[in-house]
Amino acid sequence: MALPLLGGCRADGSIGLRMLRRSLTVIALVAFGAAAGLALHLATAEGDTMFAGKRPDYLGVKDGRLASCRKRLNCVSSRADPADTQRYVAPIAFTGGAAEAIAAARRAVESMPRATVVRQDGNYLYAEFRSKLFGFVDDVEFTCDEKAGVLHVRSASRLGRRDYGVNRKRVEALRARIGRK
């Protein structure tokens, strides 16, 4: 015996197929609206987004070295162990003095999209790169080893566990631009 529908609910308290469809439609519309609102916020946001993360306090040159990547998989560094193929990237060779090398690195950074030079002190350069869609921030540092004729580089994502090769690709793009001078 079929139970009569009362306002979308059956007399026994269960919902009918029509009410279930309406409920799922409302849930889908709310989720779509939230996603559209987030996308609009990110597209129009000036400055930091909720995905920018906090600027690390351990950046810079300490004891002549940039910070290590530790066990992070979203970081590459020329100071990592060369046997560590996930984190090691070769330093960038240069000819000339430290001032020329840092100036070339600065020009390379400034020629790339969504990059901002944050600090330049002597033979140290620090820049931030933002991803296009969500505004994730990656920190990129250079320091010059004039005796060895190389720029040491470190590029790390602030948030997340992996970067899917983004930091390595960025360092290689910077290497190509610095090499062109």
Side-chain angles (χ1 to χ4, degrees):
M1 166 172 145
L3 299 172
L5 290 176
L6 300 173
C9 292
R10 296 179 182 202
D12 66 355
S14 64
I15 61 172
L17 184 59
R18 187 170 157 199
M19 186 63 167
L20 179 63
R21 284 186 185 145
R22 283 184 182 167
S23 298
L24 291 175
T25 300
V26 167
I27 291 169
L29 287 173
V30 168
F32 178 76
L38 178 62
L40 179 64
H41 164 73
L42 293 173
T44 60
E46 294 288 329
D48 288 342
T49 67
M50 64 186 190
F51 299 115
K54 183 180 165 204
R55 185 174 289 157
D57 58 3
Y58 54 81
L59 298 178
V61 180
K62 293 178 180 69
D63 298 323
R65 299 177 68 96
L66 299 172
S68 73
C69 288
R70 295 179 222 136
K71 296 187 184 233
R72 299 174 60 179
L73 295 176
N74 59 359
C75 175
V76 295
S77 173
S78 61
R79 292 292 195 168
D81 180 358
D84 185 350
T85 58
Q86 286 195 310
R87 293 175 195 86
Y88 178 75
V89 63
I92 301 170
F94 72 90
T95 55
E100 288 178 64
I102 291 296
R106 184 179 186 122
R107 284 191 303 275
V109 166
E110 289 174 339
S111 73
M112 296 182 74
R114 297 175 306 284
T116 305
V117 172
V118 177
R119 189 171 85 224
Q120 181 178 345
D121 292 322
N123 70 344
Y124 174 76
L125 179 70
Y126 167 49
E128 294 175 344
F129 286 78
R130 293 182 184 279
S131 67
K132 188 173 185 175
L133 182 59
F134 290 111
F136 288 106
V137 176
D138 295 344
D139 299 296
V140 179
E141 300 177 280
F142 298 90
T143 188
C144 183
D145 182 345
E146 198 165 9
K147 288 180 185 174
V150 296
L151 277 169
H152 284 287
V153 60
R154 178 182 184 276
S155 182
S157 304
R158 285 188 189 167
L159 302 176
R161 294 178 183 246
R162 296 192 178 273
D163 70 345
Y164 303 100
V166 170
N167 284 298
R168 182 173 301 279
K169 289 175 191 165
R170 177 182 303 113
V171 168
E172 295 308 324
L174 287 163
R175 180 189 314 279
R177 290 171 190 223
I178 291 168
R180 280 189 243 139
K181 288 187 183 183

